[in-house]
């Protein structure tokens, strides 16, 4: 993690300071600070070790959203955090908390700021080491597991330090945009520390000389380049730096592409937008533009394999400016103590000297979609259809599998956001994350793209969708198993049971289901789904088990030609 030169500590100021004289309990201080950081809703399932805190949450303005299991709560909180800027989940000791490990590991990997709160046995109950229920090895096991997958994991077991620990945890969550973990022993929820405390936040500072030198070198490098290009990554979204990247591009006529995880960071209808850069998996003209560029400005991007097309991206570090919240490298020079926001503000501050004509960029046409009524649906035609409906105010939430690869070719407009786990790639993300999206903003309508395998992992979260009258459109890519894996190595382990996915509404007592075999069915189902504003719609789209997206085919072909 990048260290910053200095850190300014400030009193954050909140009702907590005013209420300090009245002395708050640890539980109420935590709830107060959650609200100060923008947490309006919290996901989870209660249990006896956390019931008292749940009671306090119910009495607070924070809305508790019950989910069907804790893993789903984790994905929902992650989806919520990606829209709201921060999310939270509250569960019981070990049986609840440890189910969160996979979603929270994903949130860590992809920098989604989620606060995890877990109840735990009271400190007084722990004397003489009893075998209390839910205990694994010793009373610290759960916290130690979370130390590996969060930026800060603490137990609020000491009144003297609890408030300070809460401040530090929440601060780390927003500063690093990564999950934090707070364990609250049940006999400390109402404990009232008797020391005075004023909430504090830390503000990392850049080393001014390092910042100046980095900016001089970056500006000179971009200015001298004939064909610079920007690769925009997900951190621009997480740190709210989209306007800075657009300013840098527009002032200097520099084309922009996005990584797969960063897709939708800038509107894909922007005149300077080239497309998703994902090595061999992406469109050939985008790959060539980036790899032939003499100055590649990677901003907030993860240099991961799937994100950049299975390690097929060929980027020469000698031609790259690579800036993230953790690293700043200009060609082979490494800079320390430069805060990403300061770098972005300074680099976009004023126009660079070079006169550069606007590049000629032609985006692929989005042809009007006309169904050939009796023709069976293919992946290619399905995604052409989806592309043609994206003008609406939608959030595309894509699960892992060919739904993700295919979605890379969708054209995301200003009105649409794109959420996926393109780096960690855990199946089961999309349906619970879509719940998180609508809890964060009821005006957004998720278009969920999910394989049949991933759907079977977390589809029960549609239950929460129904409880809250949410209205996502869920497209199940029913290719009868794990086609992405089939594509790599076929075997009976890739087969799954074919469910009547379109009959989920009968089970849940709400929603509309559509079975889609032909293009005619697809046309009718989408029309009805868009008209159905009041509940979820589910399209069970039958596909051939060997039919994969153009993006996945491109990857395979190019890997073969390079081998
Ligand atoms: C939680 C999890 N388990 C296993 C995998 C490995 N995996 C990657 S893609 C895939 C198949 C996905 O199947 P499906 O959701 O039906 O999508 P499809 O590949 O058929 O498009 C599997 C098993 C994973 N990424 N995540
Ligand atoms: Mg499948």
């Amino acid at each position: 993690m990048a260290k910053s030169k200095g850190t300014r500590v400030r009193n954050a100021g909140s009702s907590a300071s005013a209420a300090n004289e009245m002395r708050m309990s640890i539980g109420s201080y935590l709830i107060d600070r959650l609200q100060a950081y923008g947490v309006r809703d919290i996901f989870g399932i209660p249990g006896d070790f956390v019931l008292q805190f749940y009671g306090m949450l119910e009495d607070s303005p924070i809305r508790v959203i019950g989910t069907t299991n804790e893993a789903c709560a984790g994905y929902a909180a992650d989806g919520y955090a990606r829209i709201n800027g921060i999310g939270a989940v509250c569960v019981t000791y070990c049986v609840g908390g440890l189910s969160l490990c996979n979603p929270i590991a994903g949130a860590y990997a992809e920098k989604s700021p989620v606060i995890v709160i877990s109840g735990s046995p009271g400190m007084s109950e722990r004397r003489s080491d009893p075998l209390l229920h839910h205990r694994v090895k010793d009373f610290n096991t759960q916290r130690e597991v979370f130390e590996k997958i969060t930026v800060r994991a603490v137990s609020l077991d000491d009144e003297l330090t609890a408030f300070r620990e809460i401040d530090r945890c929440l601060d780390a969550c927003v500063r690093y945009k990564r999950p934090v973990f707070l364990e609250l022993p049940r006999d400390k929820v109402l404990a009232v520390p008797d020391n005075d405390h004023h909430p504090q936040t830390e503000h990392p500072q850049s080393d001014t000389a390092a910042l100046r030198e980095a900016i001089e070198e970056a500006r000179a490098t971009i200015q001298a380049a004939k064909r610079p290009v920007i690769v925009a990554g997900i951190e621009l979204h997480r740190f709210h730096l989209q306007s800075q990247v657009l300013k840098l591009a527009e002032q200097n006529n520099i084309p922009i592409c996005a990584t797969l995880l960063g897709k939708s960071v800038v509107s894909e209808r922007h005149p300077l937008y080239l497309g998703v850069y994902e090595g061999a998996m992406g469109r050939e003209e985008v790959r060539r533009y980036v790899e032939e560029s003499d100055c590649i400005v990677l901003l907030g991007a993860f240099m991961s394999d799937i994100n950049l097309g299975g390690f097929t991206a060929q980027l020469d570090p000698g031609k790259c400016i690579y800036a993230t919240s953790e690293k700043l490298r200009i060609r082979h020079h490494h800079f320390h103590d430069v805060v990403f926001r300061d770098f972005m503000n300074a680099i976009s501050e004023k126009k660079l000297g070079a006169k550069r004509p606007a590049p000629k960029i032609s985006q692929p046409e989005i042809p009007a979609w006309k169904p050939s009524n009796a023709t069976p649906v293919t992946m290619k035609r399905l995604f052409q259809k989806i592309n043609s409906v994206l003008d609406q105010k939608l959030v595309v939430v894509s699960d892992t599998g060919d739904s993700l690869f295919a979605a890379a070719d969708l054209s995301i407009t200003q009105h649409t956001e794109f959420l996926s786990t393109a780096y960690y790639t855990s199946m089961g993300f999309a349906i619970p994350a879509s719940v998180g999206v609508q809890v964060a903003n009821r005006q957004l309508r998720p278009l969920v793209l999910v394989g049949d395998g991933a759907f079977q992992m977390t589809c029960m979260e549609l239950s929460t969708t129904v409880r809250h009258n949410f209205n996502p459109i869920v497209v199940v890519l029913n290719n009868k198993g794990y086609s992405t894996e089939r594509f790599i190595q076929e075997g009976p382990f890739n087969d799954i049971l074919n469910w009547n996915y379109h009959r989920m509404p009968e089970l849940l007592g709400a929603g509309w289901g559509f079975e889609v075999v032909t293009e005619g069915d697809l046309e009718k189902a989408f029309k009805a789904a868009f008209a159905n504003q009041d509940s979820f719609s589910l399209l069970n789209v039958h596909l051939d088990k060997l039919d994969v997206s153009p993006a996945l085919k491109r990857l395979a072909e190019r890997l073969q030609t390079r081998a």
Side-chain angles (χ1 to χ4, degrees):
M1 196 134 296
K3 278 189 276 128
S4 57
K5 179 68 180 164
T7 302
R8 208 170 49 221
V9 177
R10 258 201 228 139
N11 278 350
S14 81
S15 60
S17 21
N20 207 33
E21 288 84 59
M22 291 145 60
R23 301 268 183 237
M24 286 176 119
S25 65
I26 296 177
S28 40
Y29 183 76
L30 179 54
I31 289 174
D32 181 271
R33 298 311 298 150
L34 288 172
Q35 291 175 82
Y37 276 83
V39 173
R40 290 171 286 115
D41 309 273
I42 196 160
F43 300 85
I45 296 179
D48 57 343
F49 289 122
V50 75
L51 270 180
Q52 208 170 22
F53 187 63
Y54 256 78
M56 287 176 89
L57 282 170
E58 274 308 333
D59 292 339
S60 81
I62 296 181
R63 184 166 54 146
V64 176
I65 307 285
T67 55
T68 55
N69 66 49
E70 285 82 357
C72 284
Y75 290 128
D78 181 349
Y80 181 94
R82 291 177 195 223
I83 297 294
N84 183 55
I86 193 159
V89 58
C90 182
V91 294
T92 195
Y93 186 54
C94 290
V95 286
L98 295 178
S99 289
L100 277 170
C101 285
N102 189 42
I104 294 305
Y108 182 95
E110 298 189 349
K111 295 205 173 179
S112 181
V114 177
I115 301 159
V116 181
I117 299 164
S118 166
S120 67
M123 298 312 287
S124 55
E125 297 170 83
R126 301 187 196 189
R127 279 186 217 122
S128 71
D129 208 22
L131 293 180
L132 297 181
H133 62 288
H134 303 340
R135 179 178 149 170
V136 185
K137 213 172 188 181
D138 59 37
F139 287 113
N140 296 324
T141 308
Q142 179 180 235
R143 199 203 66 238
E144 285 168 2
V145 168
F146 275 93
E147 274 173 9
K148 301 281 182 204
I149 53 173
T150 58
V151 275
R152 198 168 176 89
V154 298
S155 170
L156 302 173
D157 51 31
D158 182 350
E159 284 95 325
L160 263 181
T161 55
F163 285 4
R164 184 78 194 103
E165 287 292 12
I166 291 170
D167 290 353
R168 285 168 131 179
C169 261
L170 303 194
D171 212 39
C173 186
V174 286
R175 182 176 340 158
Y176 299 114
K177 308 290 179 203
R178 284 193 150 136
V180 290
F181 174 80
L182 300 114
E183 200 171 83
L184 184 51
R186 64 174 156 185
D187 60 357
K188 296 292 175 187
V189 177
L190 296 179
V192 180
D194 59 10
N195 49 326
D196 268 349
H197 179 81
H198 296 279
Q200 289 183 338
T201 53
E202 293 179 349
H203 295 270
Q205 307 277 295
S206 290
D207 177 323
T208 41
L211 175 64
R212 192 180 339 104
E213 218 167 279
I215 290 297
E216 275 168 15
E217 183 168 347
R219 289 175 73 88
T221 309
I222 301 173
Q223 200 157 317
K226 291 203 167 58
R227 243 165 66 110
V229 64
I230 294 170
V231 178
I234 191 66
E235 279 197 351
L236 296 172
H237 176 272
R238 300 282 193 268
F239 289 90
H240 309 291
L241 297 167
Q242 286 108 320
S243 62
Q244 286 85 335
V245 75
L246 281 178
K247 229 166 121 189
L248 173 67
E250 286 165 1
Q251 278 171 345
N252 304 296
N253 277 334
I254 306 174
I256 321 173
C257 48
T259 61
L260 184 51
L261 192 60
K263 187 174 167 71
S264 85
V265 145
V266 294
S267 166
E268 300 194 331
R269 305 272 164 91
H270 190 284
L272 285 168
Y273 183 74
L274 275 176
V276 173
Y277 173 66
E278 39 175 356
M281 206 156 61
R283 290 198 343 261
E284 178 61 15
E285 61 272 27
V286 181
R287 185 191 69 75
R288 215 170 320 117
Y289 199 103
V290 173
E291 289 170 15
E292 288 173 4
S293 161
D294 53 350
C295 176
I296 306 150
V297 188
L298 293 130
L299 298 172
F302 288 9
M303 305 285 269
S304 75
D305 54 354
I306 302 268
N307 203 18
L308 291 185
F311 271 149
T312 51
Q314 311 274 312
L315 300 181
D316 172 359
K319 294 180 182 161
C320 290
I321 295 175
Y322 182 47
T324 70
S325 66
E326 292 175 27
K327 235 185 227 156
L328 175 58
R329 198 186 66 209
I330 302 176
R331 295 177 294 168
H332 292 289
H333 302 155
H334 292 256
F335 292 83
H336 300 283
D337 306 323
V338 177
V339 176
F340 186 39
R341 170 172 300 283
D342 294 342
F343 179 81
M344 287 302 301
N345 284 339
I347 194 78
S348 57
E349 200 181 1
K350 55 181 194 280
K351 195 172 177 319
L352 296 166
K355 284 209 172 58
R356 196 169 284 123
K360 289 193 185 72
I361 294 172
S362 56
Q363 282 290 329
E365 288 280 301
I366 302 172
W369 199 83
K370 284 205 194 74
S372 157
N373 282 339
T375 308
V377 177
T378 60
M379 274 298 275
K380 186 172 172 192
R381 290 289 289 159
L382 170 63
F383 276 79
Q384 281 177 353
K385 172 68 190 168
I386 293 172
N387 226 348
S388 75
V389 301
L390 285 188
D391 262 344
Q392 327 243 359
K393 204 167 178 185
L394 294 168
V395 180
V396 176
V397 188
S398 183
D399 215 302
T400 300
D402 207 17
S403 51
L404 175 65
F405 301 129
D409 285 344
L410 292 175
S411 180
I412 304 289
T413 67
Q414 288 94 319
H415 307 296
T416 310
E417 289 223 43
F418 179 73
L419 257 62
S420 75
T421 122
Y423 168 43
Y424 189 64
T425 56
S426 182
M427 287 165 72
F429 165 82
I431 301 236
S434 78
V435 170
V437 166
Q438 288 204 289
V439 172
N441 183 350
R442 185 61 184 81
Q443 304 313 312
L444 297 173
R445 189 166 196 195
L447 175 64
V448 181
L449 307 175
V450 54
D452 48 348
F455 184 84
Q456 290 193 5
M457 287 190 177
T458 53
C459 62
M460 53 282 200
E461 216 38 51
L462 283 174
S463 177
T464 311
T465 300
V466 170
R467 279 180 80 181
H468 294 276
N469 298 317
F470 292 155
N471 60 355
I473 299 173
V474 180
V475 180
V476 180
L477 312 182
N478 183 1
N479 51 19
K480 325 294 181 293
Y482 304 146
S483 290
T484 310
E485 303 285 351
R486 237 188 255 296
F487 198 62
I488 306 167
Q489 185 174 335
E490 179 56 303
F493 39 74
N494 290 322
D495 299 330
I496 62 173
L497 186 70
N498 181 23
W499 294 4
N500 286 318
Y501 301 100
H502 55 284
R503 296 183 63 185
M504 285 291 284
E506 285 171 53
L507 174 69
L508 296 170
W512 291 13
F514 305 89
E515 186 164 32
V516 173
V517 177
T518 64
E519 291 191 4
D521 297 338
L522 185 66
E523 178 72 6
K524 276 192 222 136
F526 260 120
K527 205 163 174 210
F530 275 111
N532 171 27
Q533 291 288 333
D534 304 328
S535 64
F536 80 89
S537 301
L538 188 150
L539 281 62
N540 173 10
V541 183
H542 289 275
L543 294 159
D544 187 283
K545 67 180 189 176
L546 297 177
D547 177 13
V548 295
S549 68
L552 198 48
K553 278 188 204 140
R554 275 198 305 267
L555 178 66
E557 277 161 20
R558 286 185 210 153
L559 286 178
Q560 268 164 10
T561 51
R562 280 174 195 205

